[in-house]
Amino acid sequence: ALFRNVDDHAMMLRSIEPGTQGFLKRYTWNELEPSLGVYDFSEIASHLDLVASQGMQLIVMIEDKTFVNEKPTRAYLWNNQYTRRNIPGGFSAVRYDPYVVARLKALFRAIGKRFDANPNFEGVALQESAIGFDGPTLDATGYTPEKYRDALIAVLSEGAQSMPTSRVFWYMNFLSRKQSYILDVALAVAPLGVVVGGPDVRPEDHALIRHTYPFYDQLKGKVKLFGQVEPSCYNHLHEDPSAPTKYWTPRELYNFAKNDMHANYMFWVRVGKPNPSDSYTWQDALPVMANNPVINP
């Protein structure tokens, strides 16, 4: 899984290591739809050609949420009804607004029409379910958990129907004011082959243990599942002072994703520098990938 600022062809080629099956790349909504109903998929096509030449797969993540001062949508969606500032310091599309839902569904249809027949196109991913709005912003935009649940089901269903030979990947973690709707969404789209999982393979993260990880047991055997090792996962501390290592090792993260998250896909974000300096990086995960090219068939 690559960050947008280190995802050119040269970096992709340098990232091909034993066990690697493909790439998950990020594309902002605004670069894919530069104006209303006009799509530019040239970057996707270029990256798809590259991975195909290496016998690998490409997953396209559509970013409609940012963590820096950058709007992920185009000008026609910039008013406060459709795009709002979020708590992390960036912007999020108002995913439960009917017009935003309609435009995202149209984007899915366009991507599916262009790429679904390509055997190296693995599918499209939506960002984490946590929108990042505070309470007043949720209220000002007419949020209800039911609206968001139904919007997610509608968008994911449209994506799956538009891409019958590839897959839709849904990153789930938190759903404001009604966490149990995560399971409702996942079960609603399970018959369509949507793959469900989330950012953060962090075995001792208490918020995830309490609110998110139980869904993996409930969904095992009903949907394909995945986990993503984020930058913060490489410095995830052991709580047990007697543990042989300070941080959870890449091998331990792999075992947790395989056995506790029941993951069929596993994504490792390409983190090049340790932070803190004694923690792990993507390089430390390479032996795990090489020895385990398949996680859970």
Side-chain angles (χ1 to χ4, degrees):
L2 299 175
F3 291 121
R4 279 194 291 128
N5 59 340
V6 284
D7 64 354
D8 60 16
H9 282 203
M11 179 60 75
M12 292 176 73
L13 289 171
R14 288 199 299 271
S15 302
I16 296 174
E17 297 281 352
T20 305
Q21 304 298 317
F23 293 91
L24 183 143
K25 287 197 73 282
R26 296 169 175 269
Y27 307 82
T28 58
W29 186 351
N30 66 9
E31 67 184 315
L32 297 179
E33 189 181 13
S35 59
L36 177 60
V38 176
Y39 300 104
D40 180 359
F41 299 146
S42 57
E43 189 176 6
I44 295 176
S46 174
H47 293 144
L48 187 55
D49 286 344
L50 177 66
V51 300
S53 73
Q54 303 298 313
M56 296 192 173
Q57 302 300 108
L58 178 69
I59 298 171
V60 170
M61 173 177 275
I62 300 171
E63 289 193 327
D64 67 342
K65 174 184 177 180
T66 61
F67 297 83
V68 294
N69 190 27
E70 175 191 5
K71 290 183 178 179
T73 54
R74 273 294 173 179
Y76 80 89
L77 290 173
W78 280 359
N79 69 48
N80 276 344
Q81 184 177 352
Y82 305 132
T83 302
R84 286 271 186 146
R85 275 212 170 269
N86 58 37
I87 297 170
F91 292 86
S92 298
V94 182
R95 295 172 180 165
Y96 40 89
D97 180 89
Y99 185 62
V100 175
V101 169
R103 295 313 310 156
L104 193 52
K105 289 166 69 174
L107 177 59
F108 266 124
R109 288 194 294 271
I111 293 175
K113 182 178 180 180
R114 175 74 180 273
F115 297 111
D116 184 57
N118 190 309
N120 297 97
F121 182 73
E122 191 74 9
V124 171
L126 286 182
Q127 280 180 286
E128 62 184 358
S129 57
I131 308 173
F133 292 155
D134 59 19
T137 301
L138 290 174
D139 294 336
T141 53
Y143 175 86
T144 69
E146 291 72 28
K147 281 185 182 179
Y148 191 27
R149 174 200 61 195
D150 295 347
L152 286 168
I153 292 171
V155 170
L156 294 168
S157 297
E158 184 73 35
Q161 291 160 1
S162 300
M163 289 171 265
T165 61
S166 44
R167 292 185 179 276
V168 173
F169 295 78
W170 179 42
Y171 278 68
M172 60 84 180
N173 50 1
F174 302 107
L175 197 151
S176 295
R177 299 176 178 172
K178 192 74 172 181
Q179 182 70 359
S180 63
Y181 282 164
I182 291 279
L183 186 61
D184 291 7
V185 174
L187 293 176
V189 299
L192 300 174
V194 173
V195 188
V196 178
D200 301 316
V201 180
R202 291 171 56 85
E204 293 183 293
D205 185 307
H206 292 279
L208 292 170
I209 290 170
R210 187 165 59 253
H211 298 297
T212 304
Y213 286 150
F215 293 130
Y216 290 88
D217 284 334
Q218 295 170 288
L219 292 170
K220 180 184 178 182
K222 299 180 176 69
V223 298
K224 294 287 186 182
L225 296 164
F226 71 87
Q228 179 159 300
V229 177
E230 299 283 348
S232 66
C233 304
Y234 293 106
N235 58 29
H236 184 48
L237 289 166
H238 275 291
E239 291 187 349
D240 184 354
S242 66
T245 59
K246 180 178 179 180
Y247 306 101
W248 284 73
T249 67
R251 178 70 208 193
E252 290 174 316
L253 298 178
Y254 170 86
N255 288 340
F256 181 79
K258 177 180 177 68
N259 300 320
D260 294 83
M261 299 173 73
H262 318 295
N264 306 102
Y265 291 80
M266 190 166 184
F267 307 121
W268 301 82
V269 174
R270 195 185 197 284
V271 173
K273 293 182 179 180
N275 183 25
S277 60
D278 62 342
S279 61
Y280 300 111
T281 70
W282 177 79
Q283 294 287 333
D284 298 300
L286 293 180
V288 180
M289 297 184 219
N291 293 326
N292 301 277
V294 178
I295 179 167
N296 280 315

